[in-house]
Amino acid sequence: MENVTTRMSDEELDLVDRLAEQHDGSRSDAIRAAIRAGAREELVRVALQKYQHGEVGMRGAADIAGLTVAEMMDEANERGVLRNYDEADLESDVENLL
């Protein structure tokens, strides 16, 4: 592992300490867990935003998020992104896979 330093406000440190306490772990453990969860969530959010703007297809969104296409579609469905998904969208996504 590589050491990384950052400055944190008292409010941020309080959040980290509370998280560490809930997991019976250290600040470092809490920070790593929060970054993993937050980074994954942000990657999914960015990927779906790019998908909605037509910048990438479902495969591209999945690649950005580090998920399979099926997992990305599940995320999109859960977030209501695919409610307007039609046959033309499907054809476009299939073409992008090839």
Side-chain angles (χ1 to χ4, degrees):
M1 276 194 214
E2 184 177 336
N3 279 333
V4 177
T5 59
T6 187
R7 297 178 198 276
M8 298 179 83
S9 69
D10 290 339
E11 180 182 352
E12 292 163 336
L13 284 172
D14 180 56
L15 288 170
V16 168
D17 288 339
R18 289 178 18 217
L19 183 59
E21 184 179 308
Q22 292 304 309
H23 289 287
D24 293 323
S26 67
R27 271 186 176 174
S28 293
D29 292 338
I31 291 169
R32 281 192 299 273
I35 289 173
R36 272 192 306 275
R40 284 185 185 128
E41 174 61 26
E42 184 65 7
L43 284 169
V44 169
R45 190 192 68 73
V46 166
L48 288 174
Q49 183 177 42
K50 287 180 180 273
Y51 176 79
Q52 285 182 301
H53 290 131
E55 298 173 39
V56 296
M58 190 57 66
R59 163 58 60 200
D63 288 344
I64 290 168
L67 301 174
T68 66
V69 172
E71 291 169 333
M72 193 74 237
M73 289 184 81
D74 284 344
E75 287 289 339
N77 280 324
E78 287 177 17
R79 297 163 193 243
V81 172
L82 293 182
R83 68 178 153 227
N84 295 323
Y85 194 78
D86 61 18
E87 194 171 315
D89 293 325
L90 177 61
E91 286 178 23
S92 173
D93 286 339
V94 169
E95 286 177 21
N96 286 331
L97 286 173
L98 303 175

